[in-house]
Amino acid sequence: MYNESYEDLAVGDYELEERQALRRVAGLSTELQDVTEVEYRQLRLERVVLVGVWTGGTVVDAENSLQELKLLAETAGSQVLEGLIQRRQRPDSATYIGSGKAVELRDIVASSGADTVICDGELTPGQLRQLEEVVKVKVIDRTALILDIFAQHAKSREGKAQVELAQLSYLLPRLRGWGGNLSRQVGGRAAGGVGIGGRGPGETKIELDRRRIRERMAKLRRQIGGMSTARDTMRARRTRREVPSVAIAGYTNAGKSSLLNRLTGAGVLVEDALFATLDPTVRQSRTPDGRLFTIADTVGFVRHLPHQLVEAFRSTLEEVGDADLILHVVDGSHPDPESQLAAVREVLSDLDGVGDIPEIVVVNKADAADPVVLARLATRERHSVVVSARTGAGIDELLAVIERELPRLDREVHMLVPYDRGDLVSRAHKEGEVLSIDHTADGTILRARVPAGLFHELDRTAKPVETVL
């Protein structure tokens, strides 16, 4: 029923209301008894136990990684019951945590009543199968968990196609048959030369599934290619008008959407959750001197971001590669912000041309951060600005830095523009930097720095002031 109080909600608030309106009901479950069928049902997470393998670094690093896995699981709708860390030189090739720890994990799962185990890493198909055989419940890895969150939060047609492509890429090597007889079926004549009555049904069920997945992946790649063409067209239009672009990149839940709202009033969804927003948003803003620029919010990053997602979202991440300036947002209140910076830069380094783009590190959530951590980041990251998107502190300083770092307009004009071409004066305000303006009987005397396209238009239409005075 229509609620008049919704009139005061922004665009992102509507989405937040919708997302919070649906909640899982405890105790209602139709889980299958045979854990080998997990790939053929929808991923449903309820009561989970987390397990990680600590191979390097300090125990604090291992605990931070498991804490992040807990946030991911809760974002997906789970109730986390236990968290375990196993110290090993490398993950066990059979069961990920070793046979002894797998038995111990089975006992913890049985005593806690958990129905899912989530591993803090990407497991091979063999590791998933063998660990499930020991613990007797569904086992998923970090990659499947992140893909599930992306599937929940994707809203646009392009975002849904990108997530589906990533999910299919992950699922393809992990398909299993539902019964041993399927793997023994043969097509044509059997190996023993059996004739009539010995011919099998041709492709097995798992072969049919694999072929259909490959066909669906090919179709999705064509669709995403067509969508990226439309994105390239819009980007080329902005480039042709020489409007400088700024891209916001950073770790998930660092406050990128909040910063975009603070800078532009975009009204996009803001929620204290990992990967709350996936679809890129491009908005216009202005520097303190009135110069127009576009600012794009991109998908968030996380440690060990699945390579399937990086490939599927490559067209979206190209917004970063084509930007004139990158705002690298980091959560100043996080226990280890340096690791967030390193994880994001690792992904960005795989994108073409990003290494040559100027970067400003924006340390967000200053109102909740430890001053010692802020001082450490300011010392380590010389090109940084400390802000709070929630309170607005430091935003003016950030806009001043953006104004200083954006590419300068090298075409300065001093011309008399006829009154019937007021559109050129308007474009100078929007696309350039107006230094002075004066209205005379013959037209408008404009002094401004403008992009090359507008300069040539003014050169054809307006007259140099020196020739008319």
Side-chain angles (χ1 to χ4, degrees):
M1 186 174 180
Y2 178 74
N3 189 344
E4 293 184 356
S5 64
Y6 281 8
E7 293 179 355
D8 299 329
L9 296 178
V11 176
D13 295 330
Y14 277 115
E15 187 177 344
L16 187 60
E17 287 278 332
E18 178 185 356
R19 184 174 294 181
Q20 293 180 343
L22 190 62
R23 283 290 180 264
R24 301 175 190 269
V25 179
L28 298 182
S29 175
T30 56
E31 293 294 312
L32 298 172
Q33 297 299 318
D34 185 359
V35 296
T36 64
E37 301 180 15
V38 292
E39 281 82 8
Y40 295 93
R41 57 184 169 170
Q42 184 180 2
L43 184 61
R44 295 185 298 275
L45 306 180
E46 294 179 2
R47 297 163 60 83
V48 303
V49 173
L50 311 179
V51 58
V53 172
W54 170 27
T55 59
T58 65
V59 67
V60 176
D61 295 333
E63 290 175 351
N64 286 340
S65 181
L66 205 68
Q67 182 68 25
E68 183 176 270
L69 187 67
K70 173 179 178 289
L71 295 176
L72 287 168
E74 291 174 345
T75 301
S78 307
Q79 178 186 359
V80 178
L81 304 179
E82 296 281 353
L84 308 172
I85 299 176
Q86 164 74 329
R87 183 71 169 96
R88 300 179 62 92
Q89 289 186 343
R90 65 182 64 86
D92 182 66
S93 59
T95 60
Y96 181 66
I97 55 176
S99 57
K101 280 293 180 181
V103 173
E104 182 180 336
L105 176 62
R106 180 192 62 193
D107 296 338
I108 293 174
V109 167
S111 62
S112 63
D115 57 17
T116 303
V117 170
I118 304 179
C119 298
D120 191 18
E122 183 167 342
L123 275 62
T124 66
Q127 287 173 325
L128 282 170
R129 183 180 66 254
Q130 294 184 61
L131 190 56
E132 279 178 350
E133 290 175 354
V134 176
V135 299
K136 304 301 182 184
V137 297
K138 176 176 56 182
V139 177
I140 66 170
D141 58 14
R142 182 188 181 94
T143 299
L145 177 61
I146 294 175
L147 291 175
D148 182 65
I149 296 172
F150 270 61
Q152 291 182 38
H153 293 175
K155 296 296 181 183
S156 68
R157 179 168 169 261
E158 183 179 13
K160 291 178 180 178
Q162 289 168 326
V163 172
E164 185 180 354
L165 177 60
Q167 287 179 312
L168 293 177
S169 299
Y170 172 82
L171 177 61
L172 184 60
R174 291 169 173 81
L175 281 179
R176 302 184 220 162
W178 281 24
N181 61 314
L182 294 180
S183 64
R184 290 196 294 267
Q185 293 171 345
V186 293
R189 295 201 173 198
V194 180
I196 296 175
R199 293 181 177 85
E203 289 181 299
T204 64
K205 176 66 170 61
I206 193 169
E207 289 169 344
L208 285 170
D209 288 341
R210 285 172 178 160
R211 180 161 57 83
R212 287 168 181 161
I213 287 177
R214 291 190 185 98
E215 291 172 353
R216 178 61 179 165
M217 290 171 63
K219 182 178 180 181
L220 287 171
R221 288 192 179 99
R222 291 193 297 269
Q223 291 179 355
I224 294 173
M227 298 172 195
S228 63
T229 301
R231 186 182 298 279
D232 292 341
T233 302
M234 292 187 290
R235 194 181 300 127
R237 188 179 303 147
R238 296 195 299 266
T239 303
R240 186 168 58 250
R241 294 181 60 192
E242 298 192 32
V243 178
S245 61
V246 176
I248 301 179
Y251 213 77
T252 179
N253 206 31
K256 299 184 299 301
S257 297
S258 298
L259 183 63
L260 179 70
N261 289 343
R262 174 65 67 173
L263 291 174
T264 67
V268 299
L269 171 71
V270 173
E271 184 180 11
D272 185 15
L274 305 187
F275 301 114
T277 51
L278 299 180
D279 301 319
T281 303
V282 181
R283 293 291 185 268
Q284 291 184 349
S285 186
R286 291 187 179 276
T287 61
D289 64 359
R291 186 180 177 192
L292 181 71
F293 67 93
T294 62
I295 183 166
D297 182 18
T298 60
V299 64
F301 299 93
V302 72
R303 290 187 192 90
H304 312 301
L305 189 68
H307 67 274
Q308 296 95 338
L309 282 173
V310 176
E311 289 301 318
F313 278 76
R314 188 165 292 275
S315 62
T316 300
L317 295 174
E318 286 176 357
E319 290 286 353
V320 180
D322 291 335
D324 297 300
L325 179 66
I326 296 175
L327 300 184
H328 187 165
V329 183
V330 62
D331 182 359
S333 64
H334 190 269
D336 188 12
E338 287 87 356
S339 67
Q340 291 191 348
L341 289 167
V344 175
R345 284 167 175 162
E346 181 181 356
V347 178
L348 292 180
S349 64
D350 294 333
L351 302 178
D352 295 335
V354 172
D356 300 327
I357 302 175
E359 176 194 63
I360 300 174
V361 175
V362 182
V363 184
N364 194 22
K365 305 184 182 181
D367 53 311
D370 186 345
V372 175
V373 175
L374 296 180
R376 187 178 74 229
L377 285 172
T379 303
R380 184 184 297 266
E381 302 290 340
R382 297 291 185 180
H383 207 45
S384 63
V385 181
V386 178
V387 305
S388 172
R390 187 177 68 86
T391 65
I395 296 299
D396 291 340
E397 180 185 356
L398 176 60
L399 284 171
V401 174
I402 292 174
E403 178 182 347
R404 185 173 67 247
E405 292 296 328
L406 285 178
R408 303 304 303 172
L409 300 166
D410 55 357
R411 305 295 182 98
E412 185 170 333
V413 297
H414 190 204
M415 292 184 169
L416 179 69
V417 183
Y419 282 124
D420 60 353
R421 293 307 308 271
D423 60 305
L424 296 178
V425 179
S426 178
R427 283 183 59 188
H429 281 285
K430 291 182 179 179
E431 302 175 25
E433 181 182 349
V434 176
L435 303 177
S436 65
I437 194 167
D438 188 21
H439 299 287
T440 67
D442 299 321
T444 301
I445 297 178
L446 174 68
R447 187 182 186 93
R449 296 189 184 96
V450 296
L454 180 56
F455 174 81
H456 294 307
E457 186 71 19
L458 286 167
D459 192 47
R460 288 194 299 267
T461 306
K463 298 179 180 178
V465 174
E466 291 78 8
T467 64
V468 296
L469 293 181

